[in-house]
Amino acid sequence: MYKGKTRSAGEVIVFSIITCGIYFLYWIYSFATEMKTYMNDNASNPGVELALCIFCYPYQYYWFYRYGKTITEAQKRAGLQPEDNSVLYLILAIFGLGIVNAAIMQSSVNKIWEQQ
């Protein structure tokens, strides 16, 4: 079974700040690609999703909510207790705390990758 890259939540935050958000955009693309592969989701297109997150900022709200739901499904697939934090991700995104979302989401998928 596919295993994505384990990253520390602190790494995601620090690199995003140091690079003025460039790493955050890289993380969005990488995260979406890893989840697409793990969930065997042929309908997702991480490149288009990244472009929408950059050029249509409100799309990020949807993106965080959607991937919150995807993480829940991935947790079930990995045999973990599912935690649906999609509404939390949406609220944090609305308040401009996408970087916090990234850290929480990465922490959640790290548990999935460790389970594999």
Side-chain angles (χ1 to χ4, degrees):
M1 180 158 279
Y2 177 78
K3 181 176 178 181
K5 182 177 180 188
T6 302
R7 300 172 185 87
S8 75
E11 172 186 310
V12 173
I13 292 173
V14 170
F15 286 160
S16 294
I17 292 170
I18 289 173
T19 62
C20 298
I22 294 171
Y23 183 82
F24 178 69
L25 297 174
Y26 165 77
W27 177 85
I28 288 174
Y29 179 79
S30 297
F31 183 87
T33 301
E34 290 171 0
M35 294 307 290
K36 173 185 176 160
T37 303
Y38 181 74
M39 297 301 290
N40 198 19
D41 179 12
N42 294 326
S44 294
N45 187 331
V48 171
E49 292 176 358
L50 176 62
L52 286 169
C53 285
I54 293 170
F55 298 112
C56 182
Y57 187 81
Y59 181 80
Q60 280 191 26
Y61 305 152
Y62 169 73
W63 189 89
F64 282 116
Y65 179 82
R66 177 175 165 231
Y67 276 95
K69 294 291 188 186
T70 303
I71 290 171
T72 303
E73 290 302 314
Q75 289 169 333
K76 290 178 189 174
R77 180 178 282 193
L80 298 171
Q81 179 68 32
E83 300 173 0
D84 188 353
N85 291 325
S86 55
V87 174
L88 172 66
Y89 299 145
L90 175 63
I91 292 168
L92 289 173
I94 289 170
F95 285 103
L97 297 171
I99 194 169
V100 175
N101 277 343
I104 297 169
M105 292 169 81
Q106 186 62 53
S107 179
S108 294
V109 296
N110 285 346
K111 293 174 188 171
I112 295 168
W113 304 151
E114 291 166 4
Q115 190 71 13
Q116 301 305 313

